């Protein structure tokens, strides 16, 4: 099945001989916003097989995980810039380096490279691709960087529990935030469209949330997969006009390239106020 955009909310951990990796949310989306496939997989091999089964001549694959990592310690420059430019909205990125145990993103990059996928780290390279390609994204930057969604003050708290309040109240608030986010995604006119109701699994995200943690995480992974796929569509639609490449500005400090010449970047939708210095 050829697909325009694939969204991968990748579980960062690799699992162990006695414990399977966490679920990865997977969503395939066409140019008109129709969800053509959706579901979950466990482990890099299963995710790779799903992606390869959906590739078309110019499929753009958006992955929420660290793909290119070259810094021995500390934090990647792209991750640092997430905090610098989106911190006002309480968005920050988990640090990754070569010592990080959560390395599924790098494994997935290697596996997909073997299947002929390119890696794009600039709008020019994305536009000029001659085959399927992948890039790294971060759904929180999409949610606060796309003004139409209305998160003008703070990111939606639809993921982790707020540890400053009682657990029962935190679970209820998280469920409310999830349901409100889905309501906005279904009801806001977006360019390009995101048609969550076009597939049974993503349509079910509009059902009232439950408080049970694993069930919530299951649904959240799929929602983030949809956000990743839509970020790919958004980037192709708007390019540099509404997207910035964190870690890709040569006039600022950048991480070294990897052995294949790939630069560690995060593709992030951005309001004008979220942009840093530009070359």
């Amino acid at each position: 099945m050829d697909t325009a955009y694939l969204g991968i909310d990748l579980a960062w951990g690799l699992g162990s001989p006695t414990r399977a990796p966490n679920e990865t949310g997977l969503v395939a989306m066409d140019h008109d916003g129709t969800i053509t496939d959706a579901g979950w997989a466990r482990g890099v091999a299963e995710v790779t097989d799903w992606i390869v089964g959906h590739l078309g001549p110019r499929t753009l694959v958006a992955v929420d995980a660290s793909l290119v990592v070259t810094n021995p310690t500390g934090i990647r420059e792209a991750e640092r810039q997430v905090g610098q430019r989106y911190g006002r909205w309480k968005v920050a990125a988990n640090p990754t380096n070569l010592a990080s145990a959560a390395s599924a993103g790098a494994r997935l990059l290697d596996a997909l490279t073997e299947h002929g996928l390119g890696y794009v780290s600039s709008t020019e390279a994305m536009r000029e691709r001659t085959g399927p390609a992948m890039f790294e994204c971060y759904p929180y930057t999409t949610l606060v960087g796309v003004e139409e969604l209305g998160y003008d003050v703070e990111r939606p708290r639809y993921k982790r529990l707020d540890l400053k309040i009682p657990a029962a109240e935190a679970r209820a608030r998280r469920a409310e935030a999830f349901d409100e986010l889905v309501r906005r995604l279904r009801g806001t006119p977006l360019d390009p469209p995101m048609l969550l109701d076009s597939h049974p699994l993503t349509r079910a995200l509009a059902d009232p949330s439950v408080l049970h943690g694993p069930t919530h995480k299951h649904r959240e992974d799929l929602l983030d997969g949809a956000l990743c796929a839509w970020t790919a569509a958004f980037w192709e639609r708007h390019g540099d006009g509404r997207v910035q490449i964190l870690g890709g500005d040569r006039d600022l400090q950048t991480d070294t390239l990897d052995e294949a010449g790939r630069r560690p970047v995060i593709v992030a939708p951005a309001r004008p106020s979220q942009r840093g210095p530009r070359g």
Side-chain angles (χ1 to χ4, degrees), residues 121-134:
S121 57
S122 71
T123 296
E124 181 181 14
M126 180 272 290
R127 296 256 192 246
E128 295 180 352
R129 70 190 187 278
T130 57
M134 70 192 114

Side-chain angles (χ1 to χ4, degrees), residues 21-136:
N22 290 337
E23 285 185 324
T24 287
L26 306 166
V27 169
M29 180 182 295
D30 269 347
H31 289 98
D32 64 357
T34 299
I35 308 295
T36 58
D37 197 11
W40 298 264
R42 291 185 185 270
V44 170
E46 286 188 13
V47 172
T48 300
D49 288 345
W50 186 88
I51 293 171
V52 170
H54 290 76
L55 290 179
R58 284 174 53 86
T59 301
L60 194 57
V61 183
V63 183
D64 178 15
S66 302
L67 296 180
V68 179
V69 181
T70 60
N71 50 311
T73 60
I75 188 171
R76 296 184 302 163
E77 288 303 315
E79 294 156 352
R80 191 188 316 278
Q81 289 176 16
V82 169
Q84 291 170 342
R85 303 183 189 186
Y86 298 84
R88 173 181 144 193
W89 286 262
K90 298 186 179 179
V91 172
N94 292 322
T96 49
N97 53 61
L98 291 174
S100 300
S103 58
R107 299 282 187 92
L108 182 64
L109 176 64
D110 289 343
L112 293 178
T113 299
E114 291 182 1
H115 284 279
L117 272 79
Y119 169 83
V120 287
S121 57
S122 71
T123 296
E124 181 181 14
M126 180 272 290
R127 296 256 192 246
E128 295 180 352
R129 70 190 187 278
T130 57
M134 70 192 114
F135 69 94
E136 179 179 339

Side-chain angles (χ1 to χ4, degrees), residues 63-230:
V63 183
D64 178 15
S66 302
L67 296 180
V68 179
V69 181
T70 60
N71 50 311
T73 60
I75 188 171
R76 296 184 302 163
E77 288 303 315
E79 294 156 352
R80 191 188 316 278
Q81 289 176 16
V82 169
Q84 291 170 342
R85 303 183 189 186
Y86 298 84
R88 173 181 144 193
W89 286 262
K90 298 186 179 179
V91 172
N94 292 322
T96 49
N97 53 61
L98 291 174
S100 300
S103 58
R107 299 282 187 92
L108 182 64
L109 176 64
D110 289 343
L112 293 178
T113 299
E114 291 182 1
H115 284 279
L117 272 79
Y119 169 83
V120 287
S121 57
S122 71
T123 296
E124 181 181 14
M126 180 272 290
R127 296 256 192 246
E128 295 180 352
R129 70 190 187 278
T130 57
M134 70 192 114
F135 69 94
E136 179 179 339
C137 69
Y138 184 26
Y140 267 144
T141 66
T142 298
L143 292 175
V144 303
V146 175
E147 293 176 279
E148 291 90 332
L149 293 174
Y151 290 106
D152 300 328
V153 177
E154 182 181 340
R155 76 192 192 284
R157 290 182 171 269
Y158 71 106
K159 289 179 176 283
R160 297 183 180 89
L161 294 175
D162 186 347
L163 300 179
K164 295 179 295 205
I165 60 178
E169 181 181 354
R171 285 191 290 271
R173 288 192 185 181
R174 180 177 65 180
E176 291 171 4
F178 185 97
D179 292 348
E180 172 61 16
L181 171 55
V182 173
R183 186 194 69 77
R184 295 190 191 195
L185 293 174
R186 294 175 69 227
T188 304
L190 296 173
D191 178 24
M194 181 198 298
L195 304 178
L196 290 179
D197 289 354
S198 60
H199 189 278
L201 289 179
T202 50
R203 182 169 62 245
L205 294 172
D207 296 342
S209 287
V210 298
L211 303 184
H212 180 246
T215 302
H216 181 92
K217 183 68 168 64
H218 184 68
R219 286 158 51 83
E220 175 211 304
D221 290 339
L222 192 67
L223 179 59
D224 279 353
L227 288 168
C228 290
W230 187 72

